[in-house]
Structures are given as structure tokens and as C-alpha cells.
Amino acid sequence: MSVQVWTYIIVGITFALYIGIAIWSRASSTGEFYVAGGGVHPVANGMATAADWMSAASFISMAGIISFSGYDGSVYLLGWTGGYVLLALLLAPYLRKFGKFTVPDFVGDRYYSQTARTVAVFCALFVSFTYVAGQMRGVGVVFSRFLEVPVNYGVIIGMFIVFFYAVLGGMKGITYTQVAQYCILIFAFMVPAIFISIMLTDNPIPQLGFGGKLADGTYLLDKLDGLHEELGFARYTEGTKGMWDLFCITGALMVGTAGLPHVIVRFFTVPKVKDARLSAGYALIFIAILYTTAPAIAVFARTNLINTVKDRPYNQMPTWFNKWESTGLIQFEDKNGDGKVQYVGNKEKNELTIDNDIIVLANPEIAKLPNWVVALVAAGGLAAALSTAAGLLLVISASISHDLIKKQLKPDISDHAELVIARVSAGFAVLMAGYFGVNPPDYVAATVAFAFGLAASSFFPVIIMGIFNKKMNKEGAIAGMVTGILFTSGYIINFKFLDPGLNSEEHWLFGISPEGIGFIGMLLNFIVSWVVMKFTPAPPEEIRELVESIRYPRGATEAHEIEL
């Protein structure tokens, strides 16, 4: 059977599974809609957290960045992995004990201010919409190739699917759907990696294979370095980015992960604080399987790609090349008129432009794996994108219905009315996500990196100081959040939308790219918060006692009621 037929079969089966789970586990109360009733098993919650956190950026785009950028791309691997450890160990248990399942709810109560809650709501919406744009773009990329429709149509199809199970099932439906999605995405990621590792290095373990030897006795990475130098690219194992920019990108991704609202809410879907810790540990194991494999896939794909396209006549390109070219994600311009594809490091002479986001999806085809493996990877990419998109939509929904309407505008609203508003908000969020998926600011991983930077500059400082600094007051928190989010968003918007022609190292502030500016925004947030705190009234005594109570694990093994 053809790749397209296999794709229809495998993707159709997985979508039917997602929708079936959503119907079976549909939410009947706000408790089930927001936090799945707080009764999810730690192992299941660990899988759901891993699927929620490993977005299209992890599955589709991260290996693509490492594949094309080499050493420079490793910042995404380090930043995202380190960020999850930071979140699991430093923040999650305390937030779970505090008992507030959204970041704006935590900010509003910890800083005893509806203004602080409102600022946090808008920050959460800004971060979530930026992040979900990358996920919907990932959906569009997958559909555009494997269902052979334009990217924009692919985004619309994904909107309908995620709308159905996110709006109907809420967090309860999403949690169990994400368990299935994790199983699918990790299987889809590992199968081609194992196949190609055996083909290239005769080693079935990809993590070892990409550091192994080829059939001719040369090391794979040495071979790739040689291919890069031959074509005029920088050596694959050597970086070209400035050290300060690398540090800032890694830092922004780490602390941004720790401030992401859709991951934090995951620790409220289990019954006890102890279970929150366990599910964080399980999730780290499940995440590590993919993240330790991504560099291997990047190296395998890059080697096979160069060997396939180098100096090859354009009219003899394989079928996969022509299929991806029809989507616009591969472009060939015969600059010297010789009919051959000249893929070189010199931008003026290079004739081939390849989108970072296709490399994982095209990898099985490049390696000539069976068609069912190609279709399986498509299903995995969709699972990764849709799982995170659904979690983000719930954050947007909860921010509007719970934090804005119930907590501020209409406190006496009934449970049923709040549930209706939550579903309407999720529906609106799907439409907005679709728009940003059609008009993204950058490729998937870069768009997601912007979201992490925004989360780092807005949420991380107020959460850290809210837990570990009893003296931090509402004035400091509000001033810090506003400063951080305005500075970071303004920097990104300037270089990505208003003046993209100046988006180069010579024009960046201190040589820091838009992907890394969130780290500076975070530092500004800390500084402004601390300075304002020094010149404004201290928080009430009951707030100090509250902060003291959440820092010590009294009753940590007992179930805690989550306020709704």
C-alpha cells in the first residue's frame, strides 16, 4: 500500500481512539473539566504529562534543529530537559500543596490582589496562544505532506479534531487521551530510529548508534563533519553561535519550562502531594526516552539527506523529495542552470532550501523504510502536536472561565454555567489557535521558544518569589510581571514582525537572539520586583504564614482539597 493509504489507516485509527476516549471520559463537572477530578494514577499522569510537555517542537522540530544546526541546536535539548527537572523538583510539589490549579489563581491568592490575578491571566493567555500556534503549525505540516493537502487545510483539520476532544472531555478526557498519545508518539519516534541505527551502524540502540562506526570503519560523526566541510558548512560538531546567546537561550528554555501553565496544572490531577512527586518522576523517565534519541535521529537524517541530494540531478530526485516540494517546505532554485541540486553552505550559491520541521517526518522516507513506518511517524507527529495543543486550550479556557469570570466578574456563577463558559472559551481558543497556526511567527521550535521566553519573563520570578520569599508583595509581583512580559514580547515582535530585516546578531541587544531574550526579561522581572518591594508595604501577616506553610511538607502524604 502507498504511504497515503497507510497514513489514512493509521491516523484514522488513532483519531478514532482519541475521540472514543473523549466520549468515554467526558467531563460532567468543573472539577473534571479543569483537573480530571484529581483522581488520576501517578503512572498515567506521568505519561499524560510527558505527552503534554513533549509537543510538536519536541517530536517534529527539535531533531530538525539539531540536524541542521548541529552543536548549536543542542541548546533546545539542554534547555527543555533541564527545565522539566527544575519544574518537577523546585516548583511542582509546593504549588500542588498550595492547592491552586492555575498560575493566575496562585498569583491572585498569594499576592492578595485581583489586579495581580488579572495581569497573570493576560500573561497566561499570551504565553498559551504563542505556544499553541507552534502546535497547530506542526499539525498543518504533517497533514500537508501525508494527506497531500495545503498546510492551511491541515491546520483546519487539526482544529476540528482537538476541538472535539478538548471541549467535550476537558482535562479528564485530555488526560486519558494523552496517555494514548504518549504511547503512539514514543513508538512512532523509536521505531524508525532503531531501524536506521541498525542500517547505518549495526547497533539497535540509537543513543549508542549515532556515536558508533559505519560499515567502512569511520565514526558516523566524523563522516558527517567531513560531509559538512566538503559542502562548505561549519563542522557539525562545532558551534557558530556566541556563548552568551547560547547561555541565554538555554536559560530561557529552562526557566520558561518551569513557568509553563499547562504543565503546572498536570500536578493537580492526582490525589495527593506524594502522587504529584511520583508522577513528576515517571514523566521524567518517559521524556528521557525521546530526548536521548533525538540527537541520534538528527545525525542519521542529516547524513542520509546529504548523501541523497548532493550533486544529484534534479530530475532524478526520489519521490519523497517531490512530495515535500509540493508542500512548499522544500524549494529548489537552479542558480547555475546545470540541472543538478547544489546544496552548499554558501547562501549565494546554495540552490536548496529545506524547512527544519520536515526532517523527522521525512527521515523514514529518506532512509527508504517501509511505508507503514512513514505513516506511523505521521501519526506520532500529530499525537505530539494535538496533545500539547489540548493542554494549552484548557489553560486558556480555565484562565477565562475560572480566573477571570468566576474569581472576579461573577463569583456566584453556578458550576454548570462555569462549565458552559469553559467550553465556549475553549472553542474560541481553538479558532484563535487555528489562525496563529496558519500565520506563525517562525518554524515550530522557534515559535515554541518564544512562548518559553514569555513564560520565563512573566511567571517564573513571581512563582519562585511567591514560594520562597515571604516579603514579596503584590506591588512587586505586578510590576515585575508587567516589565518582563512587555520587554520580552516587544523585543520578539520588533525583530520577528516589525523589522525582520534587522534580525541578526549585529543588531541584537548584547548579541542575544529573540529566542533567548526571555532570560534577560526574567532578570528584569526579578530586579524590578525586588526594588518595588523595598519601597512598598509588606504583605499581610496571614500571607507570610501561608508562604511558611507551603514550604514545609506538613501532611505531605495526605490528600489535599483543590479549591474550585
Side-chain angles (χ1 to χ4, degrees):
M1 288 189 290
S2 68
V3 170
Q4 191 172 17
V5 173
W6 271 114
T7 302
Y8 276 117
I9 293 173
I10 295 178
V11 171
I13 291 172
T14 58
F15 278 11
L17 177 63
Y18 304 155
I19 293 171
I21 292 173
I23 294 173
W24 166 73
S25 58
R26 62 187 178 276
S28 57
S29 67
T30 52
E32 292 183 342
F33 191 87
Y34 293 141
V35 290
V40 180
H41 191 278
V43 175
N45 196 51
M47 284 190 180
T49 304
D52 204 353
W53 186 77
M54 289 191 301
S55 63
S58 296
F59 188 99
I60 296 174
S61 200
M62 183 178 65
I65 292 176
I66 298 172
S67 184
F68 285 95
S69 304
Y71 177 85
D72 289 339
S74 63
V75 295
Y76 290 87
L77 188 72
L78 297 172
W80 282 330
T81 310
Y84 181 78
V85 175
L86 185 68
L87 169 64
L89 299 181
L90 189 63
L91 300 181
Y94 300 105
L95 291 172
R96 177 62 177 82
K97 191 179 179 190
F98 193 88
K100 302 299 178 183
F101 66 87
T102 69
V103 174
D105 214 6
F106 168 82
V107 170
D109 283 19
R110 163 59 182 86
Y111 294 106
Y112 52 98
S113 168
Q114 292 290 44
T115 303
R117 187 191 306 274
T118 303
V119 172
V121 166
F122 283 106
C123 288
L125 292 175
F126 198 4
V127 170
S128 299
F129 274 123
T130 305
Y131 200 166
V132 82
Q135 309 316 308
M136 299 311 294
R137 182 65 177 179
V139 172
V141 169
V142 176
F143 275 130
S144 68
R145 162 62 186 92
F146 295 105
L147 299 187
E148 297 185 12
V149 297
V151 173
N152 295 349
Y153 289 173
V155 171
I156 293 170
I157 295 170
M159 284 168 54
F160 279 109
I161 297 296
V162 77
F163 175 84
F164 187 89
Y165 73 80
V167 174
L168 178 65
M171 182 56 79
K172 185 178 179 182
I174 284 173
T175 296
Y176 293 107
T177 302
Q178 286 175 335
V179 171
Q181 287 170 328
Y182 174 78
C183 296
I184 291 166
L185 76 86
I186 203 67
F187 185 69
F189 202 77
M190 293 303 298
V191 167
I194 293 170
F195 268 131
I196 299 172
S197 183
I198 293 172
M199 291 168 61
L200 289 178
T201 67
D202 203 28
N203 191 322
I205 304 174
Q207 292 89 336
L208 300 177
F210 90 107
K213 292 182 178 180
L214 299 170
D216 61 4
T218 61
Y219 283 98
L220 176 57
L221 288 172
D222 288 340
K223 175 75 171 181
L224 189 52
D225 274 341
L227 287 172
H228 265 231
E229 289 181 318
E230 183 183 335
L231 296 177
F233 293 102
R235 285 174 64 87
Y236 187 81
T237 55
E238 295 179 2
T240 58
K241 277 182 172 291
M243 187 58 69
W244 180 230
D245 190 27
L246 287 173
F247 177 83
C248 287
I249 294 173
T250 305
L253 294 175
M254 283 185 66
V255 297
T257 299
L260 282 177
H262 77 292
V263 177
I264 290 173
V265 75
R266 274 266 149 243
F267 298 101
F268 294 90
T269 59
V270 290
K272 297 179 290 187
V273 175
K274 178 182 177 182
D275 294 332
R277 294 179 187 271
L278 282 173
S279 62
Y282 284 125
L284 187 57
I285 294 171
F286 296 139
I287 288 168
I289 296 172
L290 185 143
Y291 267 61
T292 56
T293 308
I297 287 183
V299 170
F300 298 156
R302 184 67 173 167
T303 303
N304 284 333
L305 174 67
I306 292 175
N307 285 330
T308 299
V309 304
K310 185 179 65 170
D311 293 328
R312 187 167 183 165
Y314 175 69
N315 58 10
Q316 294 179 17
M317 279 294 172
T319 303
W320 69 263
F321 184 96
N322 299 323
K323 293 287 187 182
W324 279 109
E325 191 177 23
S326 67
T327 69
L329 299 174
I330 287 181
Q331 296 176 355
F332 170 67
E333 181 186 358
D334 192 3
K335 294 180 179 178
N336 59 11
D338 66 353
K340 292 183 178 180
V341 176
Q342 184 173 251
Y343 185 44
V344 294
N346 186 321
K347 290 184 178 180
E348 295 180 0
K349 295 182 178 180
N350 181 54
E351 299 176 341
L352 187 64
T353 304
I354 306 173
D355 193 293
N356 285 0
D357 294 333
I358 76 165
I359 198 67
V360 170
L361 300 172
N363 188 32
E365 295 179 285
I366 298 171
K368 301 178 181 179
L369 296 184
N371 288 345
W372 67 268
V373 177
V374 179
L376 180 65
V377 171
L382 291 171
L386 293 176
S387 62
T388 303
L392 290 164
L393 293 174
L394 256 294
V395 169
I396 295 168
S397 172
S399 295
I400 295 172
S401 60
H402 183 74
D403 297 314
L404 198 59
I405 294 177
K406 181 178 176 64
K407 289 290 186 177
Q408 298 188 64
L409 302 180
K410 201 172 182 182
D412 59 345
I413 190 173
S414 68
D415 189 78
H416 175 73
E418 185 184 352
L419 184 59
V420 170
I421 292 173
R423 284 186 164 135
V424 171
S425 301
F428 169 75
V430 170
L431 296 176
M432 290 292 291
Y435 172 79
F436 287 114
V438 172
N439 302 284
D442 211 322
Y443 55 88
V444 174
T447 303
V448 170
F450 300 149
F452 278 71
L454 294 169
S457 62
S458 58
F459 284 142
F460 183 74
V462 294
I463 294 173
I464 285 289
M465 291 185 292
I467 295 171
F468 297 104
N469 186 349
K470 294 185 289 184
K471 296 180 181 180
M472 182 49 62
N473 58 16
K474 63 181 180 182
E475 291 85 0
I478 293 169
M481 280 192 293
V482 171
T483 301
I485 196 79
L486 288 180
F487 170 79
T488 305
S489 60
Y491 192 90
I492 292 170
I493 290 170
N494 178 62
F495 284 113
K496 287 295 177 180
F497 295 100
L498 299 182
D499 208 345
L502 296 179
N503 187 24
S504 60
E505 188 171 355
E506 64 216 60
H507 298 107
W508 294 337
L509 179 66
F510 305 124
I512 301 171
S513 63
E515 289 85 353
I517 200 63
F519 186 78
I520 303 301
M522 177 206 66
L523 296 179
L524 285 176
N525 187 331
F526 272 117
I527 293 168
V528 170
S529 298
W530 188 84
V531 170
V532 172
M533 176 194 72
K534 289 294 184 182
F535 295 96
T536 49
E541 185 60 33
E542 61 266 24
I543 295 298
R544 296 187 180 203
E545 292 175 359
L546 176 66
V547 175
E548 188 76 23
S549 71
I550 66 172
R551 291 197 341 228
Y552 293 94
R554 293 193 299 269
T557 58
E558 300 173 5
H560 288 262
E561 196 72 30
I562 298 171
E563 181 186 335
L564 293 172

